[in-house]
Amino acid sequence: MSKLPTPPLRVALYARYSTDMQNPMSVDDQFREAERYAKRKGWTVAERYSDSAVSGTAARTRAGFTRLSKALSSGAFDIVLAESLDRISRDQEHLAGFYKAARYAQVELHTVTRGKVDALTLGLSSMMSAMFLEDLSQRVRRGIEGKVLAGLNGGGRIYGYRPGTDARGAPVKGKLEIVEAEAAVVRGIFRDYAAGLSPIAIANR
């Protein structure tokens, strides 16, 4: 008797772009590259999962990643394929947890850039991601400190201020102008606290 042909492996694709500043089309671009990779391997694309404008360290707020994680044990696919490991997560703990869950479900993890992921690849990638995040954090803090020391807004909406403008009324990035009505509230809070009122009493007022 001749053996029946082995059915092609089924693959779930995952794509993510990080922030609103990035091109949303990058998800489609990642899927296109992953589909080409799967085709070369003879795999069948069974599912697609994606997250848009979400950090790679925020696993809990990524709806697509959460659905993918829950589907690992469903038997719907044999492989998870992403452009690179940092698309799945930049957090060492999240990435290791996902890898462990995938192995338990007998689902392989592959990337377009590195191929099949093993423990060594995972460890090296996690280390590089941790270094990247540490360097990024330091650069961000340095940049915010420089803005604040220059009298500019370090980021975010600040009660008591509005975005500043130049002499022509055009907005100036980082410049702040006092909103007197809100500033009066802020000064009153400090005045009451200095007079001995508790934070609860001030809030009630």
Side-chain angles (χ1 to χ4, degrees):
M1 293 180 63
S2 60
K3 291 184 178 180
L4 294 174
T6 304
L9 294 174
R10 300 158 300 164
V11 58
L13 309 182
Y14 179 75
R16 176 185 62 82
Y17 75 98
S18 301
T19 69
D20 291 322
M21 300 297 290
Q22 291 182 319
N23 182 3
M25 288 299 292
S26 67
V27 164
D28 293 332
D29 296 338
Q30 290 172 46
F31 277 153
R32 185 171 59 253
E33 288 299 312
E35 286 165 1
R36 287 174 180 166
Y37 184 93
K39 186 176 181 180
R40 289 197 301 269
K41 292 289 187 177
W43 300 338
T44 298
V45 176
E47 303 285 348
R48 290 175 177 81
Y49 301 88
S50 65
D51 288 296
S52 302
V54 183
S55 168
T57 60
R60 291 183 180 179
T61 58
R62 287 193 281 157
F65 179 78
T66 299
R67 289 192 298 108
L68 171 62
S69 299
K70 290 180 178 178
L72 285 173
S73 58
S74 68
F77 47 83
D78 310 294
I79 296 167
V80 171
L81 175 63
E83 179 186 45
S84 59
L85 278 177
D86 61 10
R87 295 299 90 197
I88 294 174
S89 182
R90 286 190 181 276
D91 184 279
Q92 291 174 289
E93 182 180 355
H94 296 161
L95 191 55
F98 183 82
Y99 178 74
K100 183 178 180 180
R103 288 197 64 188
Y104 182 79
Q106 297 184 330
V107 173
E108 293 183 357
L109 183 56
H110 288 246
T111 67
V112 174
T113 55
R114 297 290 181 182
K116 184 177 179 180
V117 176
D118 55 20
L120 178 59
T121 305
L122 183 75
L124 290 173
S125 179
S126 296
M127 181 181 66
M128 296 302 294
S129 291
M131 293 171 62
F132 169 82
L133 290 174
E134 184 177 350
D135 290 344
L136 178 63
S137 177
Q138 291 177 350
R139 290 196 297 270
V140 169
R141 282 199 298 269
R142 185 182 66 226
I144 292 175
E145 181 184 28
K147 286 184 176 181
V148 173
L149 291 175
L152 301 174
N153 183 10
R157 175 78 168 87
I158 305 174
Y159 186 82
Y161 295 91
R162 61 170 166 258
T165 58
D166 60 18
R168 299 174 298 170
V172 177
K173 186 177 181 180
K175 185 177 180 181
L176 295 173
E177 292 178 358
I178 294 174
V179 179
E180 287 300 333
E182 295 180 359
V185 175
V186 176
R187 295 187 187 108
I189 291 171
F190 277 92
R191 223 172 13 247
D192 290 344
Y193 187 76
L197 271 69
S198 69
I200 293 177
I202 295 172
N204 287 335
R205 291 184 61 179

